[in-house]
Amino acid sequence: MSHPLLVIGSGPRPMRGYLLEQTAAHYPLLLIDDAPLTWQKPYVIDHEVADLSDPIAVNTAAASLAVRWPIAGVLTWDEFHLMAAARLGHSLGGRPGNSLAAVAAARDKATSRQRFAAAGVPSAVSNWVHSLDAAASAAERIGYPVVLKPAAYAGSIGVIRVDEISDLPTAWAIVSAGAAHQGPEGDGVLVEEYLDGDEVSVETVTRRGVTSAVAVTRKSVGFAPYFLETGHSVSAGDPLLYEVAPVAEAALDALGITHGVSHTELRLTADGPKVIEVNARHGGDLIGELVRLATGISLPLAAAALACGEIPTLRPTQQRSAAIGMIYPPADGIVTHRGLRPGSDRHLEHFQWLCDVGDAVTLTPSTTTPNNIRTGYAVVSGDSANDTQEHLADILARAEVKVASAVPRTA
């Protein structure tokens, strides 16, 4: 057996389980997680439980595993554990990975914007603020509409568009609720130029500073003025990749990212692609699984190979399309029913409920809940992008969620 790979945080099974499953099929895995093993048991050979928000606890757990096993490398799929993984990689004797400065720059969007500007990477005009008054001044300088976002969060949590000054106080309350829970690598709020255009992401693999763009993900965003991702689609051979890949690669270079799988989000503006942000890890919402279904390339295995100092396999083995669509509640409330009406499931790859009857769900963010609560998702594949979208629309139309009214939330 080859030396095992240490994973920091498995993440929730519905969205991250495929990462652990695909990696464990080819590499022996050690896991540090914040709770005892449950669904992860078949995929790991040893583990430690530690508070993942406590660097000392994580280091102690890693040291215990290192006594028992020769660790080949360190890997995480979680935005909030990137710094911990980078520190461990260095402390274990220089395992392959990014520098701490590069990971910190990717985590802190204020630093990212500064580096993009210095390197000439097309990006949004941005101001870093810590108060409502400062946000109002920044918005006035930039010009409405603007976007408010926490400096170091993820998943579009707390991100909101503001069209005029009268909307700013409510928006500030919502973004502040999100910023209160962001990671320690950044603080405050960014007030940014609104980039108008379709949103995409570029999925890349970087080895020794050389980046290969593997796929472009086309995104659906809804619930304006929020930027909540309602779906993603990937097609092998998408010609858009050749337009956006150079911008993504330049953004990674500007941050000093030299290693690993990354997920760079952009907007296709009238002036060309502009960077929203760089995430030095896998994209969420099963984007890596869409890439595999469409191209045959496994991003989890690529990340594992890199972490172990190996050369990843990035040659496409198929030419297909895949898409994921999110299922949302019809309103805020308590779930009273969920179900999928009968129909053809021939193209359905995955279907997952994310709520149970009796759960409280929310449709849009608020000051008390800075993100909405999805009720489920469906993943489909097809021979073309159009076929795939038709299959997905059919599945989503058959998904039913009913809710009963709950106590009104604070707006």
Side-chain angles (χ1 to χ4, degrees):
M1 181 175 66
S2 60
H3 293 175
L5 177 63
L6 174 58
V7 176
I8 312 299
S10 63
R13 186 177 194 176
M15 287 295 185
R16 294 294 188 176
Y18 80 97
L19 296 164
L20 197 66
E21 179 180 358
Q22 289 184 28
T23 307
H26 292 81
Y27 293 87
L29 300 182
L30 310 173
L31 177 65
I32 300 176
D33 220 338
D34 52 10
L37 299 183
T38 53
W39 64 269
Q40 306 97 332
K41 285 182 180 179
Y43 307 117
V44 302
I45 60 172
D46 200 354
H47 77 287
E48 288 283 336
V49 176
D51 180 353
L52 296 180
S53 66
D54 182 348
I56 295 176
V58 173
N59 287 343
T60 301
S64 296
L65 289 168
V67 169
R68 304 195 292 268
W69 301 93
I71 296 174
V74 183
L75 178 65
T76 188
W77 305 301
D78 192 292
E79 179 76 17
F80 298 103
H81 308 325
L82 288 171
M83 289 298 293
R87 290 191 190 100
L88 278 179
H90 289 284
S91 67
L92 290 171
R95 299 301 191 274
N98 288 302
S99 70
L100 294 176
V103 176
R107 284 285 296 119
D108 181 5
K109 297 178 180 65
T111 301
S112 294
R113 289 284 188 238
Q114 293 169 2
R115 294 203 178 186
F116 296 154
V121 177
S123 174
V125 175
S126 179
N127 283 255
W128 183 36
V129 302
H130 291 79
S131 70
L132 175 58
D133 287 343
S137 297
E140 195 67 28
R141 289 193 300 272
I142 294 171
Y144 290 93
V146 295
V147 175
L148 303 188
K149 65 169 64 175
Y153 219 146
S156 299
I157 294 175
V159 183
I160 183 171
R161 170 176 160 164
V162 184
D163 290 328
E164 54 189 36
I165 192 169
S166 60
D167 298 329
L168 193 60
T170 298
W172 179 259
I174 291 173
V175 72
S176 297
H181 301 287
Q182 62 188 332
E185 292 82 32
D187 65 280
V189 169
L190 300 184
V191 181
E192 300 193 332
E193 167 195 13
Y194 171 67
L195 300 178
D196 193 13
D198 292 339
E199 185 170 334
V200 302
S201 65
V202 185
E203 321 312 327
T204 56
V205 176
T206 305
R207 179 176 180 267
R208 296 181 179 177
V210 178
T211 295
S212 300
V214 173
V216 59
T217 304
R218 297 178 184 255
K219 299 176 176 291
S220 300
V221 179
F223 300 98
Y226 310 102
F227 295 85
L228 302 178
E229 294 173 344
T230 59
H232 310 273
S233 62
V234 175
S235 294
D238 191 329
L240 181 59
L241 181 61
Y242 302 102
E243 177 183 352
V244 296
V247 180
E249 292 166 16
L252 292 169
D253 287 343
L255 298 181
I257 298 297
T258 60
H259 170 93
V261 172
S262 298
H263 168 77
T264 301
E265 298 177 348
L266 307 95
R267 282 261 173 155
L268 306 179
T269 75
D271 298 323
K274 293 187 178 182
V275 177
I276 300 173
E277 64 186 49
V278 170
N279 302 284
R281 40 83 181 170
H282 292 77
D285 291 352
L286 277 78
I287 286 175
E289 178 67 349
L290 301 184
V291 172
R292 184 189 69 82
L293 291 169
T295 70
I297 298 171
S298 172
L299 291 178
L301 290 185
L306 290 169
C308 294
E310 302 168 359
I311 300 175
T313 300
L314 301 179
R315 178 173 295 177
T317 59
Q318 56 194 38
Q319 296 285 315
R320 289 178 57 78
S321 294
I324 184 171
M326 306 304 168
I327 302 168
Y328 293 93
D332 295 357
I334 306 299
V335 176
T336 60
H337 169 78
R338 64 177 200 185
L340 183 65
R341 295 195 304 274
S344 173
D345 296 337
R346 185 165 60 91
H347 299 277
L348 182 62
E349 300 284 350
H350 307 284
F351 186 92
Q352 177 70 53
W353 290 112
L354 301 174
C355 68
D356 292 316
V357 171
D359 286 351
V361 293
T362 56
L363 185 58
T364 55
S366 71
T367 55
T368 55
T369 307
N371 197 17
N372 64 349
I373 297 178
R374 296 161 170 169
T375 54
Y377 66 77
V379 175
V380 301
S381 65
D383 293 329
S384 70
N386 288 339
D387 288 345
T388 301
Q389 289 301 321
E390 290 180 5
H391 303 325
L392 181 60
D394 172 69
I395 296 291
L396 296 180
R398 292 193 280 119
E400 294 181 325
V401 179
K402 297 179 181 179
V403 301
S405 297
V407 177
R409 298 181 295 157
T410 302

